[in-house]
Amino acid sequence: MEAPATAPRTGLRQRKKQRTREDLVEAGIRLFLEQGYEQTTVDQIAAAVEVSQRTFFRYFATKEDLAFGAVIVAEELFYEELCRRPPQESPLTALRRAARVVHEEMRNTTSTTVDSGLHLSVVRLIESTPSLLAAHLRRAEELEERVAAELARREGVDLSADLRPRLVTAVFTAACRAANRVWNSEGVPSLDAMVQLIERHLDQLQPALAGDWGRRAGALEEPPASSAPGTPATRADTTSEE
Amino acid sequence: MEAPATAPRTGLRQRKKQRTREDLVEAGIRLFLEQGYEQTTVDQIAAAVEVSQRTFFRYFATKEDLAFGAVIVAEELFYEELCRRPPQESPLTALRRAARVVHEEMRNTTSTTVDSGLHLSVVRLIESTPSLLAAHLRRAEELEERVAAELARREGVDLSADLRPRLVTAVFTAACRAANRVWNSEGVPSLDAMVQLIERHLDQLQPALAGDWGRRAGALEEPPASSAPGTPATRADTTSEE
DNA sequence: TGTCAACTGTCAGTGACTGACATAGCCTCA
DNA sequence: TGAGGCTATGTCAGTCACTGACAGTTGACA
């Protein structure tokens, strides 16, 4: 009667472990969101799941790690999708399309992998908690390295001799982080808003790097038909230097 | 006889405090470099200067903060130089030139502000110590926000409506970090090598973002006159999307 | 069913960091 | 110059994240 349709290949021990892990994540995230990350102690989380503190640390090396579960899943998905992108796509396009696939996946709420509603709250939690943000940025650097290696592979260039793989990757994540900062200061966390912001930021990359910033481009919303710019002259200096 | 040429405007108390602070930094950095950051305890540093642990934490809020002194000075200098750049320079050019000024300043070793030799070792220490790297990346984000605000001001755009200030800033620091990663894996830390790497990375920004990566550009060193690329055709897709 | 291996709890300890309180020393002003 | 005030410091106790060691419990499997 209670036997799930998906046959439990694993033994009782494995299932118990999996259960404990999920309980810890659930209780931890809930407490983090309720009372804040710093204000939540590991003892509290362990007590909520009725395990010892020692057991908590057998599941998660650090308190931070508990918060990154969903993020890690999304990042892995991104990496796998990137590896799957057809080779005729340019590096930046491949990165962009891989990100879109992740966002599509997240849109299927309560999917097997990532719960989008909670996920968005966790992203905000990370972004607004200094120690979590610090840990996340460092983790992101590690992902960047893997991504750069994959780009080098697909483009057939040498990662140790060619600067471009690391550069596109760094620029891409920089744009995403900039988008994230804007998204983080918005009212209600919304996946659509996040996706749109990332797309807009990627679109604005070239305009932002251009020597001359006409007052036209770069607007977050369509400007209400403002007056024509007064200084149509292009900038004297160029981006590339002597 | 011992009265320094620079008249001590401050009282004995102030001087003592300054002295203790300098001693803590010196002992701390030395110990970090000798035995590693994680392996060095606050008690050790405090003992080396003959103060209590409690006093240490009255000078530095965290153990990490001790390591960031020189970095903060350099960052402040960068920000001030950026504010000083003439308005006709494009944003990216202003950022680049401001960075050059900082590097020039660092070249004057044993200057009043930053000791370049030790400074380079500290940068490596930070880059190679996970917890320090994490803290540094988060601090860098805060600087980014200030820089973006300054760029918005000088260009006369609205930071909350225009994505470009944050974007250029993010891209610039992304390029610097990419350069730093390469620099960090080099043999002997050298200021010249660091400056050159940053310049090269900034030069490679546009090529890296280009849709098509010809096998020519992007090389770290001049390629030894390799064979002409076999696929001169440009990429089908473009960077900008529908 | 008994043995082994994996999972867990308990305990003691380290190290970063904080608040409270008392003391010692510079500093100021009469 | 000396009294009083303010500031820097030391001591102490405590919290919290995290770890190693050891022992007990329980699923796995022959």
Side-chain angles (χ1 to χ4, degrees):
Chain A
M1 195 51 92
E2 348 183 325
T6 62
R9 287 268 161 251
T10 61
L12 172 58
R13 200 176 249 165
Q14 288 272 333
R15 268 177 288 143
K16 263 190 159 179
K17 235 186 133 179
Q18 184 61 25
R19 177 72 194 279
T20 303
R21 180 178 208 88
E22 287 166 2
D23 287 351
L24 283 172
V25 170
E26 191 187 314
I29 299 295
R30 183 176 51 78
L31 288 170
F32 289 165
L33 293 177
E34 276 175 18
Q35 35 177 305
Y37 174 78
E38 305 286 3
Q39 284 68 45
T40 304
T41 68
V42 172
D43 280 327
Q44 276 179 55
I45 304 171
V49 187
E50 291 179 310
V51 297
S52 68
Q53 194 210 47
R54 195 66 184 87
T55 296
F56 176 96
F57 284 113
R58 289 201 178 97
Y59 282 86
F60 302 97
T62 68
K63 183 178 152 191
E64 288 163 359
D65 283 1
L66 176 64
F68 288 130
V71 176
I72 290 176
V73 170
E75 286 175 354
E76 286 308 311
L77 182 59
F78 171 78
Y79 179 74
E80 285 163 21
E81 286 302 327
L82 177 68
C83 295
R84 223 170 270 144
R85 293 271 84 194
Q88 62 268 24
E89 287 178 1
S90 75
L92 195 53
T93 302
L95 290 167
R96 193 168 185 161
R97 298 250 168 93
R100 281 187 191 161
V101 174
V102 175
H103 290 143
E104 281 308 317
E105 187 64 31
M106 286 177 66
R107 196 163 271 123
N108 309 356
T109 319
T110 62
S111 77
T112 55
T113 47
V114 278
D115 173 12
S116 93
L118 213 58
H119 190 278
L120 293 184
S121 305
V122 171
V123 171
R124 286 236 168 147
L125 176 75
I126 292 173
E127 212 79 19
S128 62
T129 305
S131 62
L132 283 180
L133 179 57
H136 175 247
L137 291 174
R138 197 200 33 153
R139 281 183 21 74
E141 281 236 336
E142 289 169 14
L143 176 64
E144 251 185 61
E145 200 57 27
R146 288 169 59 203
V147 168
E150 165 60 17
L151 288 184
R153 189 199 61 74
R154 89 200 295 269
E155 298 294 322
V157 301
D158 182 6
L159 184 59
S160 63
D162 197 315
L163 310 181
R164 292 172 300 176
R166 270 188 258 259
L167 262 175
V168 228
T169 312
V171 168
F172 179 78
T173 63
C176 289
R177 281 195 303 111
N180 232 307
R181 284 217 290 277
V182 175
W183 179 78
N184 204 45
S185 62
E186 280 185 351
V188 184
S190 138
L191 180 58
D192 286 334
M194 184 184 216
V195 172
Q196 275 186 37
L197 275 171
I198 291 179
E199 297 281 346
R200 285 221 190 102
H201 275 77
L202 291 172
D203 285 336
Q204 289 295 320
L205 262 178
Q206 289 295 345
L209 295 180
D212 188 32
W213 281 6
R215 294 295 131 83
R216 260 155 288 120
L220 191 56
E221 301 161 305
E222 312 314 313
S226 67
S227 61
T231 59
T234 52
R235 189 85 71 155
D237 78 80
T238 49
T239 289
S240 57
E241 300 264 314
E242 63 276 12
Chain B
M1 196 49 93
E2 347 181 327
T6 61
R9 288 266 162 251
T10 62
L12 173 57
R13 191 127 82 190
Q14 288 273 333
R15 269 176 285 145
K16 262 189 159 179
K17 235 185 131 179
Q18 184 61 25
R19 177 71 195 280
T20 304
R21 180 177 209 87
E22 287 166 2
D23 287 352
L24 282 172
V25 170
E26 191 187 314
I29 299 295
R30 183 175 50 78
L31 288 169
F32 290 164
L33 293 177
E34 277 175 19
Q35 34 175 300
Y37 175 78
E38 305 287 2
Q39 285 66 44
T40 304
T41 69
V42 172
D43 280 327
Q44 276 180 53
I45 304 171
V49 187
E50 291 179 311
V51 297
S52 69
Q53 194 210 49
R54 195 68 183 84
T55 295
F56 175 97
F57 284 113
R58 288 200 179 97
Y59 281 87
F60 301 96
T62 68
K63 182 178 153 191
E64 288 164 359
D65 283 2
L66 176 64
F68 288 130
V71 176
I72 290 176
V73 170
E75 285 175 354
E76 285 309 309
L77 182 59
F78 171 77
Y79 179 75
E80 285 164 21
E81 286 302 326
L82 177 69
C83 296
R84 222 171 270 143
R85 297 309 310 172
Q88 61 268 23
E89 288 178 1
S90 76
L92 195 53
T93 303
L95 290 167
R96 193 166 186 162
R97 297 250 169 93
R100 282 187 191 163
V101 174
V102 175
H103 291 143
E104 279 309 315
E105 187 64 31
M106 285 176 67
R107 197 162 271 123
N108 307 355
T109 320
T110 62
S111 77
T112 54
T113 48
V114 278
D115 173 12
S116 93
L118 213 57
H119 190 280
L120 294 184
S121 304
V122 171
V123 170
R124 287 237 167 145
L125 176 74
I126 293 174
E127 212 80 19
S128 61
T129 306
S131 62
L132 284 180
L133 178 58
H136 176 247
L137 291 174
R138 196 197 34 147
R139 283 183 20 75
E141 281 236 336
E142 289 169 15
L143 176 64
E144 250 185 62
E145 200 58 27
R146 289 170 58 203
V147 168
E150 165 60 16
L151 287 183
R153 189 200 60 75
R154 87 199 299 266
E155 299 295 322
V157 301
D158 182 6
L159 184 59
S160 64
D162 196 315
L163 310 181
R164 292 172 298 175
R166 269 188 258 260
L167 263 175
V168 227
T169 312
V171 168
F172 179 77
T173 63
C176 289
R177 281 196 302 111
N180 231 307
R181 284 219 289 277
V182 176
W183 179 78
N184 203 45
S185 62
E186 280 186 350
V188 184
S190 136
L191 180 58
D192 286 334
M194 183 185 217
V195 172
Q196 274 187 36
L197 275 171
I198 291 179
E199 297 282 345
R200 286 220 190 103
H201 276 77
L202 290 172
D203 285 336
Q204 289 295 320
L205 262 178
Q206 288 296 345
L209 295 180
D212 188 34
W213 281 6
R215 295 294 130 86
R216 258 155 289 120
L220 191 56
E221 301 162 304
E222 312 314 313
S226 67
S227 61
T231 58
T234 52
R235 191 85 71 154
D237 79 79
T238 48
T239 289
S240 57
E241 300 263 313
E242 61 276 13

